[in-house]
Amino acid sequence: MTNTTFADLGVAEPLCRALAAQNYVNPTPIQAQSIPALLEGRDLLGLAQTGTGKTAAFALPILQQLAATNEKREPKCARALILAPTRELALQISKSFETYGKHYKLRQAVIFGGVNQFRQVRSMAGGVDILVATPGRLLDLMNQKHIELRRTSILVLDEADRMLDMGFVRDVKKIIAALPRKRQSLLFSATMPKSIEHLAAEILTDPARVEVTPEVVTVDKIDQRVMHVDGKRKRELLAKLLDDTDLSRVIVFTRTKHCANRVSEQLDKSGVPSEAIHGNKSQGARQRALDNFRNGKARVLVATDIAARGIDVTGITHVINYELPNEPESYVHRIGRTARAGKSGIAVSFCDNAERAHLKSIEKLTKRPLTVVDTTEWLGEQIVVPAGEPVAPKRNGRGGGPRNGGGGNRNQPGKQRRFGGKPNAGNRGQRNAKKGEQPQSRRQSAGA
Ligand code: AMP
């Protein structure tokens, strides 16, 4: 979060009112950087991923400009077009426009494939101010002459890299060809491969470039571990881990605000002083929580992803992912809270059955498997993930016996039980495995 306000950025009062109702106090960095440039009418190239607040970064200036010019809608036309790769994202964007624009009388439609087109065609009949669409269905309806883009003066390509990965490049180019040349264009992408650079060069004119990089995280210095655990036992596992006083300044990440509150309450009840920080808290409450965490009054800070952005607290000994993020990039952000300023740190991720797919995406992104930790010492059992069957948990002792370490886990030399001490114990284990020592599990051996 930044210290400016939305009004400082030039955001109009009706939008500020809607934001206040959402408890948005300060703009996120991408919002602070994008909004002024977009209100000036500039093109924009945004390197940012979901979770940074990028939707509001483009939605607010678009709403403000559309409301200010208040042009008449024309049948089948849209004044602004937002292209998104998936139905889920399209719906999410559309919802954001609705929330932020609730004090304006702008009309919008959302269009995606996989459902009957009837309602979508009807929603476009009288024309809209904002159209959010996935490329395939949009092109289809354009070809059927249900939608026209000749009056569209603002274009957003959201998650452009994903759109190209999904094979939409030709559709996207055809759609762009149907737009007026004179327009404001925005392109957001989490990564910048050559294909996106080319696309950006083709469609943007002198764009403002905004980059919200996951700050350079020295991931190599972080000892990354995973504990396979039944979702119902996460609470117990967390409490047991916190018995170790080496975990002295800990951030616990959850996916939802609700879960953050619940975990924090449980910790307080069990005598571990904690604070929760998330988007529903006022700026004052967040500041107090952070102060208490910094000055050591709270040993644990329970946070959601968005709230944790920009938190710069030194000396965080451990990051615990109570729930794995569904965006693997968020994992890198999260664990980067420890290992700041070149220090090393420990990140422990709890992974239940439903989260195995998230774990796989994380390992794909970081190109490095997390070290599996045997939970027997804490929970009296461990869930074994058989090699090649990442989503079918088996209990230790059944079906093939322990594969993830059992008693003599070489990947945790002498440190199986404790999470304190030298953070890089796990990495050392991976190096041992590299020297040809017998691997204990596929995950662990693959870490070599
Ligand atoms: P996005 O990256 O656009 O998907 O946004 C991620 C989440 O952050 C959404 O749940 C938004 O509601 C929330 N969010 C966006 N901007 C802010 C802000 N300035 N303050 C608090 N929450 C925000």
Side-chain angles (χ1 to χ4, degrees), residues 70-85:
N70 210 10
E71 271 168 37
K72 264 187 68 185
R73 290 182 284 262
E74 282 199 26
K76 301 182 184 181
C77 291
R79 297 171 64 200
L81 168 67
I82 293 91
L83 282 183

Side-chain angles (χ1 to χ4, degrees), residues 1 6 23-28 31 49-56 92 100 279 286 306:
M1 293 294 156
F6 284 100
N23 275 315
Y24 290 15
V25 181
N26 302 107
T28 64
Q31 291 161 1
Q49 59 223 10
T50 299
T52 52
K54 71 177 159 58
T55 316
Q92 203 177 305
Y100 307 142
R286 281 192 222 184
I306 186 88

Side-chain angles (χ1 to χ4, degrees), residues 368-390:
R368 161 180 166 163
L370 310 194
T371 305
V372 180
V373 177
D374 182 349
T375 51
T376 312
E377 304 269 357
W378 290 275
L379 299 177
E381 65 167 13
Q382 108 150 315
I383 295 177
V384 177
V385 183
E389 286 177 55

